[in-house]
Each structure stands twice: as structure tokens, then as C-alpha cells.
Amino acid sequence: MAKIGINIATGSLQKEEMIVGIDLGTTNSLIAIIHPESREATILKEVDGMGKGAGALVPSVIHFQETGSAEVGELAKDYLVADPGNTIFSAKRLMGKSFNDIRDHAGFFSYKIIDENPESLVKVQVGNKFYSPIDLSSIILKELKQRAEHILKTPVNKAVITVPAYFNDAQRQATRDAGKLAGLEVLRIINEPTAASLAYGLGLDRNEQKTIAVYDLGGGTFDISILRITDGVFEVLSTHGDTYLGGDDFDRAIMDYWVSSNQLDATELNSNPSDMQSARLAAERAKKQLSKGEHFETMVDGRRLSIDKSTFEGLIEGLINRTLDSCKLALKDAGLKITEIDAIVMVGGSTRVPYVKKAVTGFFGREVNDSLNPDEVVALGAAIQADILAGNNRDFLLLDITPLSLGIETSGGLMDVLIPRNSKIPTRAARQYTTQVDGQAGMRISVFQGERDLVQHNRKLAEFILSGIPGMPAGLAKVEISFMIDADGILTVRAKELRSGVEQSIEVKPQYGLTDADVERMLSDSITHAESDIQARALGEARNEGEQLLKTTERFLQKNSAHLTHQELLDTAHAMQALQLSLTMEDKNLILEKHTALNEISKPYAERIMDEAVASAMKGKSI
Ligand code: AMP
């Protein structure tokens, strides 16, 4: 059995290499790996703090100093109030966006967003420098890479990065580019809900069929995604949400309550940003405290601030109901009933609020998965995916799509696609073919990868011969060719003659492969050559049909020449000769013309003979 390499995605990887999983979040970012010894997904945490605090969560905040140098994370977060114009937060919200896209929320950002060309991608101005959201994300990713290298004491060059399920191609590409700029090879961009499900082990069993709802309520965004896992492939059935709804709104609700209950003074707050900031921090502390206890009380700038749990729940009820409305819409879009959801996964720091958990459990009518740290699940899942890609976990699935079409060569050198590009794997496709010549005993099956119409421009992956087809007239054999790509990206091509059961197969294994550049070139070639390919395909098809007609006519004459007049025989021979000759030339129209001519000559006598046959059959005789 021949084994030939195709690269379903990015090529095979060396086992020793450490690939990290990165949750590049709106508020916080995190890195995780599979621990080489325990084999557990583990969040990378600073051991000695690197002078940057020992937390695992890295705030997705950048502070630009006057010198132009940037600090990222906890240190930068301190400047949100002190130096808002030079401190960038929520850069993820700007990914792949134009000013027009964010116009309604421009007030949300305290830094300068350029609106000169509202149609083109946004830029942020800091001092006299301009940064694209890709630049900004790359600064965060560079910091994460450095931290990972510091902790792991080894270079980190490859990563899996997560994005929200609703990110479009431009936003995904922007994330990929940010990784590249940070010196990371981004092996895969995966959906955050997919990663979260993986962290709970959902989808790791290849035979599993499950429908999962992933409820993600963070600091500033909410989304709900409905996923279906079939044979290890994750499909996003629907997604809904509100990109400006999250735990920050809970904090604001608490502050508003303190103002309305005269515990805080609105005028004082508005005139003093640092008072506002301490009130906001107190509100966040209150919220977190109420996730554990029934009551919160503190002193801030000489004022006593308090709130109890039931008051807090009353304040956020409306916000939570909005998230449940999104859940209803997501179910509707997916065409599912609540009872069809098999599992619910909780993601995001705000799902720690007991009222949120209670509301979601009540809505879906079943227990939710919340045993893991909701801030960490996405990064943990990304690490699991990274480990699968590293080839360390062969038992697990590979979630992927085929980057190029796969097919076989049919007569005339044409590419017949069985599995189109971008098909999810694992996948299967089959089609029937037949023999071209009477008594044909073997059939050559050549497997190609690529987008061009003629196989000569595509990449040959494998070839084998199905032999032992029993003697039959041309067109009678039924050869089924099936392509199967399993979850590891291994393609098996099988050919079976259905009448006789003769069978042959070949496995095409991912050992070496195409680089991303190869794939890109093959795709761009198919676009550049689209016009000439259409012509080549048309010529190929005209030739095939011409040959077919010659064969049918020949067979017809062998059986029926006695019923034809001398003139008819002569005209037919001439027309056949002309068609035969046209097949050797590169002129599709000429072939079609000769094809039509032969058809017109043979049509009258073919009909006459058919009529005679019918008539004699009616008399009980056969011819
Ligand atoms: P994320 O964007 O997923 O990092 O979520 C951050 C949000 O979770 C912030 O609004 C936090 O205030 C909130 N959060 C973190 N811990 C808790 C907690 N124990 N109780 C309530 N909210 C929390």
C-alpha cells in the first residue's frame, strides 16, 4: 500500500516542540500548555513574578510611555485612570473594524481612534504614532510569548489562538497576522466556545454526537454559541450575543445604586476621575464578595458603601434576561428546542455570579458545566488543541478542513472533484464511474489535489489500478470511487466494481505536505487561470463526448449495418472520419460541429431501425 503525504493544514510538526494555547481576550489574556509530565492542560503562571505580578491573567492593556516604549498587563492597567489617552484597552473590539463599524461606541474608548477615513480599517493614535488593532494585538501577544518563554525556559514559536465564534474572516486573519507580527507561527485559529468545550473533554471522543451551548459572559461582552459535535468535528450552528454587555455593567449598576441611595455623590464622582475609579473598584469588589456572601460593606474616601445580595440580583435581573433572550434567538437560529441541548458550558468571569448560574440552569433545565475556572477554560482548550496539532495525542481528533479540493482524473485529463476545498474533516464522498472500452479489465485511478480544471496543473497524490474487472461492454461496469478523510487527515481512496465486488484501496498519509505558501499559490493559480481552465475543460468535455459518440455509432453499425442503405453507410463513414480527425485538433467548436453532423446523419436511420425493432417485437419476434 503506497503512502503519500498530503498536508491537510499546516504540515507535520516535530514532537518536542512546545506549542502554546493562547486566549487573546478583550479584557485579559492567558497562555496554557499541556504539562509535559502530568499531561494535564495547565495555565502558565509566573513563578517569580518577573516584576509584573504573579497572576496568570494578563490584562489586555497597553500603556505607551512618552519614549514610545510599551508596557503590557498589570503595570499598564494602572495607567487606565492616570493616563487614559496613552493607555489602550479592548483592542480586540477594533479587530477588522472600520470607524463606521464602531461609531456608535466611539465614546467607550478613552484613547484616540482616527476617523479620517471611516470606511477603512481603524487606527489608534498615541502621541504622533499610529497603531492598527493588529499592531496592538501583536504587542500583547509578544508579551505573552515572552512570559511563556521566561516560565518555560525555552523558545516559544508556535501557538493556537482563540477568537469568538462570531469573528469573520477579516477578524480571524487580523488575529493571525498579529501572531505573525509577534513572531508566532499561528498553527490554528479556533473558536472560543470550541476551546471551552474541549477543556471539559467534550468532543474528545470520536464517536460522540452532542449539541452544546456555550454561555460566555465576560467583563464587557456576552455571547452564546450553539455547537454540534459529530465524529469529532465541531460545527457552530448559531451564535448570538451583545458585544457591550458584561460584568462591567454589573459594576456600573452597583455604582448607580450607591448614587441613587445617596451612599455616593454623583457630582463629586463626575468631577474627580480618581474618586470615580475607587468607586468603580469598590463596586467590583462588592460584586465579587456577593458571589460568596450575602452582604458587602466597605469604607471609601470616608463614605460607607454597602449592598446586599438580593438588591444586587434585582439590579442585574434585566441584564441577565437580555442574555437569555440571546439564548432563545440562538436556539431558534439553530432550529433546536431547549431539550435538544446535551451540555451547557460556562465561560467568563461573570458566570461566577450565582444568580447568572441559577438563571442559565433554569433556562436550559439542566446542570451546567462550571467545575473549571471560567477565566481559564478557553486557554486550557486552546492548549488541548495545540497538543493535538503537535501530534502528542494521536487518540484525539483533529478538527480541520481541507485547504484544497481532492479528486480524480477522468478522461480527457479533467479533474473531477470528490471533496471540495474547505470541507470539514472527517468526511466522505463517493461517485460512480464506468469503463470506456469493451472488455476493459483495469481502471487507472489517479488522485489529485488542487483547484484547476485540468489535472496536469494540480498535484498528484497517488495512483493505483483497479484490476480484475470482469469482461463487460463499455459503460456497463459500475466502479464506485470513494474518498474518506479521517480525523487525522489521512485520505483513503477506494475503488470497487459493484457488479463483481472487485476492490482496491490506497492510503494517502500526511507525512510531508504543502506549506501555507504552496496552498496560497495553488489557490491563486486557480483564479488566475480560471478563463483558460474553462476553455480547456470545455475542449476536454467535447473530446469525451465525441469519442463516446464514435464508439456508440460503431457498436450500432456492427449490429445493424444490414438495415442501412449503401448511401447511409457511406455518409456515416465520412462523418465518423471527420469527427475522428477533429478530436486531434485543439478546436472545441470544430468537434461540436462534427459531432452534430454525425448525429444528424445517424438520427433518421437510428429512429427507423428502432421503429422496426419495436414493430417486430410486437409480432413476438426479436431482431
Ligand atoms: P473575563 O472578561 O472573562 O475575564 O471576565 C471578567 C469579569 O468577570 C469582570 O467583570 C470581573 O469583575 C468578573 N468577575 C471575576 N470574578 C468574579 C466573581 N468572583 N464574581 C463575579 N464576577 C467576577
Side-chain angles (χ1 to χ4, degrees):
M1 196 178 267
K3 293 188 174 177
I4 299 154
I6 51 165
N7 186 347
I8 290 300
T10 43
S12 50
L13 300 164
Q14 288 164 0
K15 235 183 152 167
E16 307 78 43
E17 211 156 12
M18 182 64 77
I19 307 176
V20 297
I22 297 180
D23 170 7
L24 181 62
T26 310
T27 335
N28 294 303
S29 298
L30 275 166
I31 320 175
I33 55 157
I34 297 296
H35 195 284
E37 279 139 36
S38 71
R39 307 288 311 139
E40 295 277 323
T42 317
I43 297 290
L44 284 187
K45 292 192 171 96
E46 297 290 348
V47 183
D48 63 6
M50 278 174 82
K52 289 169 174 168
L57 285 176
V58 180
S60 307
V61 183
I62 308 166
H63 174 242
F64 289 98
Q65 286 152 332
E66 269 176 41
T67 55
S69 67
E71 48 203 348
V72 178
E74 302 82 2
L75 289 179
K77 203 176 168 186
D78 295 341
Y79 287 95
L80 278 173
V81 179
D83 190 13
N86 296 317
T87 312
I88 316 298
F89 63 95
S90 280
K92 184 174 175 180
R93 291 181 185 277
L94 304 175
M95 281 299 227
K97 296 276 171 86
S98 70
F99 187 79
N100 276 344
D101 293 329
I102 54 145
R103 186 182 290 280
D104 290 348
H105 295 283
F108 173 88
F109 305 94
S110 52
Y111 43 87
K112 188 158 192 223
I113 298 175
I114 305 300
D115 57 359
E116 273 159 23
N117 186 350
E119 307 268 330
S120 63
L121 294 178
V122 294
K123 286 231 175 217
V124 168
Q125 184 174 6
V126 181
N128 52 8
K129 289 212 170 119
F130 298 91
Y131 299 91
S132 70
I134 297 176
D135 297 327
L136 298 168
S137 293
S138 85
I139 292 173
I140 297 168
L141 287 169
K142 218 178 280 169
E143 171 77 17
L144 295 172
K145 172 174 146 76
Q146 272 173 12
R147 290 191 188 204
E149 288 175 339
H150 179 84
I151 297 166
L152 295 169
K153 313 253 176 308
T154 173
V156 169
N157 299 315
K158 295 184 172 177
V160 168
I161 304 181
T162 59
V163 295
Y166 57 77
F167 256 30
N168 62 27
D169 275 353
Q171 293 170 304
R172 284 164 200 265
Q173 193 52 48
T175 307
R176 203 177 257 283
D177 291 345
K180 220 183 273 175
L181 262 183
L184 288 168
E185 188 186 332
V186 182
L187 297 180
R188 195 68 54 86
I189 296 285
I190 67 166
N191 288 327
E192 289 162 8
T194 300
S197 304
L198 281 174
Y200 277 101
L202 296 163
L204 291 180
D205 175 354
R206 243 190 242 171
N207 303 318
E208 191 173 48
Q209 295 253 4
K210 272 213 162 88
T211 309
I212 306 171
V214 182
Y215 181 99
D216 183 347
L217 187 61
T221 61
F222 165 70
D223 51 89
I224 171 82
S225 306
I226 312 279
L227 308 179
R228 173 163 295 151
I229 317 176
T230 328
D231 303 331
V233 175
F234 284 81
E235 190 182 352
V236 179
L237 297 182
S238 66
T239 167
H240 260 276
D242 188 330
T243 45
Y244 291 88
L245 172 64
D248 299 348
D249 296 295
F250 299 178
D251 305 346
R252 221 164 292 131
I254 294 175
M255 275 167 67
D256 290 348
Y257 162 74
W258 283 336
V259 168
S260 66
S261 57
N262 293 321
Q263 301 185 50
L264 280 176
D265 186 280
T267 337
E268 264 176 42
L269 282 185
N270 289 330
S271 59
N272 193 340
S274 84
D275 280 7
M276 176 74 95
Q277 174 70 352
S278 17
R280 208 190 58 74
L281 290 174
E284 186 175 9
R285 264 187 290 132
K287 172 183 74 176
K288 290 184 180 172
Q289 167 67 30
L290 295 175
S291 291
K292 290 182 296 204
E294 295 295 316
H295 185 73
F296 173 85
E297 197 168 317
T298 190
M299 290 295 288
V300 173
D301 302 328
R303 286 176 177 272
R304 180 179 304 280
L305 302 176
S306 72
I307 184 168
D308 57 32
K309 194 172 171 182
S310 58
T311 309
F312 171 63
E313 293 184 346
L315 296 176
I316 61 169
E317 189 185 347
L319 297 170
I320 304 307
N321 284 340
R322 269 166 60 193
T323 69
L324 299 181
D325 289 341
S326 290
C327 295
K328 278 182 209 146
L329 290 173
L331 283 168
K332 187 165 168 256
D333 283 359
L336 292 172
K337 293 195 281 285
I338 287 184
T339 48
E340 289 174 284
I341 300 293
D342 301 310
I344 300 127
V345 170
M346 300 294 262
V347 183
S350 300
T351 59
R352 288 203 184 86
V353 174
Y355 184 76
V356 172
K357 190 182 151 189
K358 201 168 79 191
V360 177
T361 311
F363 177 84
F364 285 101
R366 62 163 60 230
E367 281 306 306
V368 297
N369 285 288
D370 67 345
S371 57
L372 296 171
N373 180 336
D375 290 321
E376 297 181 348
V377 278
V378 170
L380 293 174
I384 294 172
Q385 173 70 74
D387 193 54
I388 295 166
L389 287 173
N392 291 340
N393 212 329
R394 281 269 144 240
D395 302 339
F396 284 175
L397 74 174
L398 196 80
L399 321 163
D400 215 340
I401 54 169
T402 56
L404 293 166
S405 302
L406 295 162
I408 63 159
E409 175 177 0
T410 54
S411 43
L414 298 178
M415 171 88 174
D416 197 20
V417 172
L418 274 96
I419 298 182
R421 81 186 210 90
N422 281 341
S423 298
K424 292 189 211 86
I425 64 167
T427 186
R428 187 179 188 286
R431 198 166 292 161
Q432 278 187 21
Y433 297 87
T434 187
T435 43
Q436 285 210 308
V437 192
D438 290 339
Q440 187 177 331
M443 190 184 246
R444 182 186 302 274
I445 289 123
S446 307
V447 183
F448 284 84
Q449 180 182 39
E451 307 314 305
R452 304 282 301 273
D453 281 338
L454 293 183
V455 292
Q456 70 186 83
H457 299 129
N458 290 331
R459 193 173 123 108
K460 190 187 239 177
L461 298 177
E463 186 170 89
F464 65 100
I465 292 178
L466 173 67
S467 50
I469 303 174
M472 281 179 246
L476 216 59
K478 276 191 185 171
V479 179
E480 186 186 74
I481 312 255
S482 61
F483 275 36
M484 248 174 314
I485 305 180
D486 70 11
D488 287 326
I490 297 171
L491 168 70
T492 304
V493 179
R494 177 163 292 134
K496 183 175 184 180
E497 203 289 301
L498 299 175
R499 292 181 195 279
S500 58
V502 180
E503 192 175 337
Q504 185 88 25
S505 69
I506 191 168
E507 194 177 283
V508 188
K509 255 203 147 182
Q511 279 162 351
Y512 64 84
L514 302 176
T515 62
D516 278 355
D518 287 335
V519 172
E520 264 165 43
R521 183 184 45 72
M522 290 171 87
L523 288 176
S524 71
D525 275 2
S526 74
I527 296 164
T528 323
H529 295 101
E531 182 59 27
S532 61
D533 275 9
I534 289 171
Q535 282 168 20
R537 178 172 278 274
L539 178 64
E541 280 170 359
R543 278 200 184 126
N544 282 345
E545 281 165 22
E547 270 164 17
Q548 225 41 62
L549 181 64
L550 282 175
K551 273 188 206 130
T552 334
T553 315
E554 217 163 283
R555 229 176 293 135
F556 184 87
L557 290 180
Q558 275 169 10
K559 268 174 111 185
N560 302 304
S561 56
H563 301 260
L564 266 64
T565 66
H566 181 66
Q567 192 57 45
E568 281 171 340
L569 282 173
L570 215 57
D571 291 347
T572 308
H574 274 142
M576 284 176 79
Q577 236 168 27
L579 178 57
Q580 187 77 56
L581 188 68
S582 75
L583 294 183
T584 63
M585 289 185 256
E586 305 285 315
D587 185 347
K588 176 199 78 178
N589 291 335
L590 183 71
I591 300 174
L592 292 181
E593 188 187 302
K594 300 299 169 199
H595 186 123
T596 314
L598 175 57
N599 251 337
E600 270 167 14
I601 289 170
S602 56
K603 212 169 144 202
Y605 60 72
E607 276 173 8
R608 191 183 73 227
I609 291 167
M610 284 289 245
D611 289 346
E612 284 171 15
V614 172
S616 61
M618 306 261 271
K619 283 188 214 146
K621 282 195 275 173
S622 69
I623 55 168

